Amino acid sequence: MRTLITGGAGFIGSHLCERFLAEGHDVLCVDNLITGRLENIDHLRPNPHFAFIGHDISHPLKVEGPVDNVLHFASPASPVDYLKFPIQTLKVGSLGTHNMLGLARAKKARYLLASTSEVYGDPEVHPQREEYWGSVNCVGVRGCYDEAKRFAEAIVMAYHRTHGVDTRIVRIFNTYGTRMRLDDGRVLPNFMGQALRGEPLTVYGDGSQTRSFCFVSDLVEGIWRLLQSDFHEPVNLGNPDEVTILQFAEEIRALAGPGCSIEFRPLPQDDPKVRQPEISRARKLLGWEPKVSRADGLRRTLEHFRAQVKQG
Ligand code: NAD
Ligand code: UDP
């Protein structure tokens, strides 16, 4: 099996590269490093079954030889990153998704799209089940990411229906773990970095908004199982254990910086008020559910950030 993973030098992508190598696949990691890092995959580069291709997949990519699976994970993913790169985000979600579908079609490969809970926008249905169509402000600041992913889902379904490409769509909810960048602006790296440096934890708004955090090993297991399934509609993967952002700050403070204060900052535009995955589809279809508790996952992730903070 030869598996191409776009965004393979990013946080989730690098864990996927590892998993597919461990399953005996040859892995082609394609990344332009806009938000990823070579150090995420340095340990894989001596492996003769692993290859890195530096390429912006918003431009077509030629690959010699067979490809059995295309996993499309390339995209800035943190709000701070996609607000910094809105056009690149729209291009990789649209042109990049199209280019990789063309490659999958030509190679008769299976295709898996990394979509997101952001397709539900600021949801009016809670928890979010796959049948919900979402509530997205297309001209708001998050529109570049949300609409790119909604377009990506639409073109994946069109390639499936029109050309018979064997596609999968995973809607990923907030995922965390080792190899997240300390400066990616997401809530967990921010809080952990702040707590470890003895700075105030910055809670946006009054902290009553909720998220549900999934440890990366659970997500990777779900993606692996979804790829083996024959299901083409979207599948939510995430941990339904929902928490307010204020409570999350308190948990991280207790773990990493008990002396730190909590500082309230303005809530960013269109910040979803609630988010929790409804995962009965994944449970039934894949026999999957998350195994790592937040307490355990936070402890494991803290060690990674402790090392990063020490390096400065
Ligand atoms: P990340 O920023 O760590 O990884 C994304 C990778 O894609 C980076 O290595 C980046 O350099 C690469 N990339 C971006 N544009 C590219 C382009 N045009 N060509 C080639 N490479 C490009 O982010 P992540 O958290 O690992 O997210 C990976 C995927 O999962 C994204 O598609 C994201 O939308 C999706 N996702 C992540 C989460 C989460 O909680 N982490 C939630 C929902 C969806
Ligand atoms: N957030 C926060 N403080 C921070 C960073 C984020 O309170 O320093 C909040 C943010 O407003 C949102 C939640 O934490 O309500 C999750 O934000 P993140 O950027 O991690 O991703 P999102 O789930 O919004 O895509």
Side-chain angles (χ1 to χ4, degrees):
M1 280 280 170
R2 193 159 181 244
T3 296
L4 185 149
I5 303 179
T6 75
F11 158 50
I12 297 175
S14 61
H15 286 279
L16 285 171
C17 289
E18 253 172 19
R19 173 66 185 262
F20 278 75
L21 285 168
E23 296 286 349
H25 289 223
D26 282 351
V27 171
L28 280 180
C29 164
V30 184
D31 203 299
N32 69 347
L33 303 175
I34 186 171
T35 57
R37 292 179 301 190
L38 281 179
E39 65 193 73
N40 289 341
I41 51 165
D42 270 347
H43 62 298
L44 304 177
R45 295 184 82 175
N47 187 331
H49 298 285
F50 180 81
F52 173 73
I53 303 171
H55 182 78
D56 177 347
I57 53 119
S58 297
H59 300 283
L61 172 70
K62 272 212 151 157
V63 178
E64 301 296 330
V67 176
D68 301 291
N69 304 295
V70 174
L71 273 55
H72 180 36
F73 277 71
S75 171
S78 111
V80 167
D81 285 344
Y82 60 72
L83 294 186
K84 195 164 153 202
F85 301 114
I87 296 168
Q88 291 92 332
T89 302
L90 279 155
K91 285 173 81 172
V92 73
S94 53
L95 304 174
T97 303
H98 182 220
N99 286 332
M100 291 302 102
L101 280 164
L103 182 78
R105 184 180 176 212
K107 302 284 183 185
K108 300 191 169 36
R110 203 168 269 192
Y111 186 99
L112 184 143
L113 170 72
S115 185
T116 168
S117 54
E118 280 285 322
V119 298
Y120 302 120
D122 190 3
E124 292 144 334
V125 169
H126 191 68
Q128 292 75 54
R129 50 170 205 277
E130 290 88 349
E131 292 82 2
Y132 175 48
W133 291 353
S135 164
V136 170
N137 175 5
C138 63
V139 294
V141 288
R142 296 171 89 106
C144 61
Y145 182 68
D146 302 10
E147 294 298 351
K149 292 288 186 181
R150 288 168 68 93
F151 172 88
E153 287 198 10
I155 195 170
V156 164
M157 290 310 295
Y159 263 67
H160 172 63
R161 294 187 182 115
T162 311
H163 296 309
V165 177
D166 187 13
T167 56
R168 311 282 182 280
I169 297 174
V170 53
R171 290 188 180 149
I172 302 169
F173 284 64
N174 296 66
T175 297
Y176 70 99
T178 56
R179 308 211 187 106
M180 290 183 100
R181 282 183 4 249
L182 192 56
D183 65 350
D184 82 3
R186 287 187 265 209
V187 65
L188 185 141
N190 272 11
F191 286 172
M192 283 203 173
Q194 290 158 346
L196 289 168
R197 290 188 299 262
E199 296 167 1
L201 275 65
T202 53
V203 169
Y204 301 161
D206 62 5
S208 62
Q209 71 273 32
T210 68
R211 294 293 186 271
S212 309
F213 295 93
C214 182
F215 193 62
V216 65
S217 59
D218 282 331
L219 177 77
V220 166
E221 180 61 32
I223 290 168
W224 173 259
R225 290 187 191 198
L226 178 61
L227 191 71
Q228 317 307 318
S229 81
D230 57 4
F231 194 73
H232 306 292
E233 300 287 321
V235 177
N236 288 339
L237 291 180
N239 190 325
D241 187 5
E242 187 179 4
V243 64
T244 67
I245 292 301
L246 184 57
Q247 189 190 331
F248 194 54
E250 278 160 0
E251 289 176 5
I252 293 180
R253 176 167 67 167
L255 192 69
C260 296
S261 59
I262 288 182
E263 226 173 69
F264 293 90
R265 300 264 174 92
L267 190 67
Q269 189 197 335
D270 295 337
D271 199 285
K273 286 181 264 315
V274 288
R275 185 180 291 156
Q276 187 202 129
E278 210 283 326
I279 59 165
S280 52
R281 187 175 275 184
R283 275 200 179 104
K284 209 166 115 198
L285 222 110
L286 314 174
W288 175 88
E289 66 188 331
K291 296 259 184 319
V292 182
S293 69
R294 194 165 62 247
D296 192 15
L298 287 181
R299 266 193 302 276
R300 292 200 225 171
T301 309
L302 182 65
E303 293 321 306
H304 156 77
F305 283 115
R306 207 186 288 283
Q308 278 200 51
V309 168
K310 266 197 198 135
Q311 283 165 14

